[in-house]
Every structure is written in structure tokens, then in C-alpha cells.
Amino acid sequence: MPTYSVPVEYVGKDVAVVGLDNMLAAYHEGKQIALHRISYQKKDMVVNPSHYRRLTVKQSFDMENTLLDGDNIIDFPIRPPA
């Protein structure tokens, strides 16, 4: 089953998921928080990079930022608890 991202502030919170046509929407307390195209690939991870922007920090010293790879944001899977 594919996994889908939500904004970081909703990680660990209950969300409702609704699938319509080829889209999947996630809601928290009635507010839409994510919208993705449905993936039919078994192990696919569908990520919206803007969901993780709050985790990135501009650094002004000589230390590698582990959340950035050049101009790209490195994404992490959001998986339900086992």
C-alpha cells in the first residue's frame, strides 16, 4: 500500500482520508491538510515537499544541513504506527 505525506504539524494526529476519482485528500478536524494523486504502485511513497519546509533551516556556518541536498529537500516517509 502506498504512503502519503501530510504537513509535519499533523504527524501523529488523527486524520480522515477521502479518495475521489484519482485524488486522495487528508483532513484534520474538518480542514483539508493534504491532496495527492492516488498511486497504484504497491510500495510507492507520495510526498509533497512543502509538507517539510518547516523542518528546513538556512545555515550560516560551515556545517552540512542534513535536510537539504543542494536545492532539494530530502523527504522522509510518513508511515502509520505498526
Side-chain angles (χ1 to χ4, degrees), residues 5-39:
S5 68
V6 296
V8 295
E9 57 266 29
Y10 298 99
V11 172
K13 296 183 179 179
D14 290 331
V15 299
V17 178
V18 177
L20 295 169
D21 294 326
N22 65 338
M23 301 300 286
L24 180 134
Y27 294 86
H28 177 71
E29 296 180 353
K31 176 185 172 187
Q32 184 178 311
I33 59 169
L35 183 65
H36 295 283
R37 289 191 189 277
I38 292 177
S39 171

Side-chain angles (χ1 to χ4, degrees), residues 4-5 9 14-15 26 37 41 46 58 63 67 72 77 80-82:
Y4 298 86
S5 68
E9 57 266 29
D14 290 331
V15 299
R37 289 191 189 277
Q41 301 300 315
V46 182
K58 288 187 177 183
M63 179 183 263
L67 295 177
N72 298 318

